[in-house]
Amino acid sequence: MFKKLLGKKSNKSEAILQRSAELVDEKVPSHIAIIMDGNGRWAKKRAMPRIAGHHEGMKTVRKITRYACDLGIDVLTLYAFSTENWKRPKSEVEFLMGLPEQFLNSFLPELMERNIRVQMIGEEQNLPKHTRNALIKAIDTTKNNTGLILNFAMNYGSRAEMVMAMQEIMREVEKGHLTIDEINETHVDRYLMTSHLPEPDLLIRTSGEVRLSNFMLWQLAYTEFLFTDTLWPDFDEQCLLEAVQEYQKRNRRYGGLEGEDEK
Ligand code: IPE
Ligand code: IPE
Ligand code: MG
């Protein structure tokens, strides 16, 4: 897959392409999830308003989507707005709610060209109409694409998601389709917003914060975590490549043993 990269026309440096080609194919994460954090601090460092950081962060989304596509990753989930982010000043929330439109309107032709499929997780019914419409349009336009799934977590909160799953399961019990003792992990998985996706293999959080902020609490049970001090607007292809290289060095045991210790 990476051999293909080398032959591809791209403005990325030869060095990055060369190093991408050296990645171990079988160990490329299928699903990468990113908590894109640090836009505000990026702007503050430059004495700019916070929204300038969000604008710059949107450019990083483009860059990282392209590179994830080049690397042959199956799913890229980006935490764009949490159920707690409504607490921010109205003007910042309004700006953030305009970003999907800005991003998708200008990027949609390239998403089609690259065979990328847009999806979302989160409570879409509570989004402003224009935000929701932009997302729905992109989801619908790209629905037959078979390449990278670009999954936005928008108005997403893991606790709310789990409460919703519990309610759905209880409804099944109420209807008599399921008994309480039959409830298992597969049922929970089925009612989460991620039911159609593989669990994340790698979680990246930028900006030096070391917490999950209500992101995919169930799904990340055996995910490899990588925290970097880089602020999201500064995160680039090189950073993602290094994250994948770090991931490839990890030994995922899932509670078992591996290699010599197994004998
Ligand atoms: C991440 O950047 C974007 C969102 C949460 C929407 P922040 O806006 O949280 O940036 P910091 O953490 O204040 O630097
Ligand atoms: C998490 O970042 C949410 C997103 C990246 C969308 P926050 O900046 O909102 O998280 P806290 O408040 O630092 O935990
Ligand atoms: Mg933050």
Side-chain angles (χ1 to χ4, degrees):
M1 166 205 317
F2 302 110
K3 309 292 168 292
K4 254 192 344 204
L5 267 169
L6 286 167
K8 226 177 197 171
K9 249 214 282 175
S10 166
N11 51 13
K12 280 191 285 290
S13 76
E14 275 301 308
I16 291 188
L17 287 180
Q18 188 60 51
R19 288 178 62 200
S20 307
E22 285 162 11
L23 285 175
V24 188
D25 246 10
E26 330 67 82
K27 281 185 85 180
V28 168
S30 161
H31 184 173
I32 298 182
I34 307 184
I35 303 178
M36 310 184 285
D37 200 9
N39 294 350
R41 277 163 283 169
W42 183 93
K44 197 172 172 203
K45 262 170 64 180
R46 289 163 179 77
M48 286 154 94
R50 291 179 56 81
I51 57 168
H54 296 314
H55 184 78
E56 202 60 27
M58 184 178 70
K59 294 190 199 160
T60 306
V61 171
R62 259 189 217 135
K63 202 189 296 183
I64 293 306
T65 301
R66 288 188 185 116
Y67 191 51
C69 187
D70 288 346
L71 287 180
I73 280 144
D74 300 315
V75 187
L76 177 67
T77 295
L78 300 175
Y79 200 11
F81 193 90
S82 76
T83 45
E84 287 72 39
N85 286 147
W86 297 106
K87 293 178 196 159
R88 296 192 179 195
K90 196 165 168 264
S91 57
E92 182 172 343
V93 170
E94 268 171 17
F95 186 84
L96 289 168
M97 288 299 151
L99 284 181
E101 252 168 309
Q102 261 193 62
F103 172 82
L104 292 165
N105 286 347
S106 58
F107 202 41
L108 199 50
E110 190 176 335
L111 291 171
M112 290 304 289
E113 217 175 278
R114 285 178 171 266
N115 194 25
I116 295 173
R117 181 170 180 187
V118 177
Q119 295 191 338
M120 79 162 275
I121 53 172
E123 291 173 62
E124 61 167 86
Q125 62 283 0
N126 297 333
L127 293 171
K129 218 173 177 175
H130 62 102
T131 315
R132 198 169 163 218
N133 287 346
L135 284 158
I136 290 173
K137 181 180 159 206
I139 291 167
D140 194 54
T141 311
T142 62
K143 69 173 186 285
N144 294 322
N145 289 350
T146 53
L148 172 75
I149 293 178
L150 175 60
N151 182 37
F152 287 102
M154 191 75 195
N155 193 22
Y156 173 85
S158 186
R159 288 182 173 178
E161 179 191 34
M162 285 200 267
V163 168
M164 186 203 69
M166 285 180 212
Q167 289 171 334
E168 292 299 326
I169 292 170
M170 291 318 290
R171 262 179 216 120
E172 292 296 310
V173 173
E174 218 169 46
K175 285 187 216 148
H177 296 162
L178 198 66
T179 67
I180 289 180
D181 290 329
E182 278 168 349
I183 299 172
N184 58 27
E185 293 182 11
T186 310
H187 293 116
V188 179
D189 277 334
R190 192 180 301 155
Y191 288 108
L192 294 175
M193 291 161 175
T194 49
S195 57
H196 57 297
L197 299 172
E199 283 173 6
D201 299 294
L202 174 64
L203 170 83
I204 301 170
R205 182 169 188 153
T206 58
S207 89
E209 306 298 350
V210 186
R211 55 175 169 264
L212 292 179
S213 303
N214 202 10
F215 186 57
M216 289 194 166
L217 304 178
W218 170 277
Q219 296 89 336
L220 296 173
Y222 268 104
T223 301
E224 295 297 324
F225 287 12
L226 193 137
F227 297 97
T228 168
D229 288 339
T230 305
L231 303 173
W232 177 248
D234 293 327
F235 195 84
D236 62 8
E237 292 92 346
Q238 179 70 28
C239 299
L240 184 60
L241 174 60
E242 282 171 12
V244 172
Q245 285 171 328
E246 165 63 27
Y247 168 82
Q248 297 198 326
K249 288 190 214 141
R250 303 271 179 98
N251 186 2
R252 302 184 77 184
R253 285 186 292 270
Y254 300 95
L257 299 176
E258 222 209 22
E260 278 304 296
D261 295 336
E262 247 175 341
K263 291 174 195 151

